[in-house]
Amino acid sequence: MSTDPQQALDASTHRKWPPGCDRFIAKLGAASRLSESDVEALAELCRDVRTVPARHDLISEGDNPNHIHIALDGWAARYKVLDDGTRQITRVQSD
């Protein structure tokens, strides 16, 4: 059974989610109806939160990551290094 994402969040207020996790779930819930189990599964994605300083690479060219990154707050950019050593931003992601 699908529920309103805010209702599912309100029903799960006993959980201690990291800052930004509720916003992350609400954004997804605005795009698609979420069941209570969907909300719980998404909240589980927020269990290993870390703060990343500015200008820090999460993944470098050639890496083969085995996990995902979700920006709960702030923004990130994808870029490639050009032959002259400058960076060309190819994508920007914000919270």
Side-chain angles (χ1 to χ4, degrees), residues 3 12-14 16 25 29 32 40 45 49 56 58 60 62 65 74 80-81 95:
T3 60
S12 301
T13 54
H14 64 280
K16 297 287 186 197
I25 295 170
S32 179
E40 291 298 319
L45 293 175
V49 173
H56 179 81
L58 299 174
S60 297
K80 65 180 185 176
V81 178
D95 61 345

Side-chain angles (χ1 to χ4, degrees), residues 42-80:
L42 290 169
E44 182 64 23
L45 293 175
C46 296
R47 70 177 158 67
D48 187 21
V49 173
R50 65 184 176 124
T51 300
V52 179
R55 302 192 191 306
H56 179 81
D57 290 339
L58 299 174
I59 303 170
S60 297
E61 187 172 350
D63 285 355
N64 189 14
N66 60 0
H67 54 278
I68 63 170
H69 294 92
I70 301 169
L72 296 178
D73 187 36
W75 62 276
R78 177 179 288 178
Y79 68 91
K80 65 180 185 176

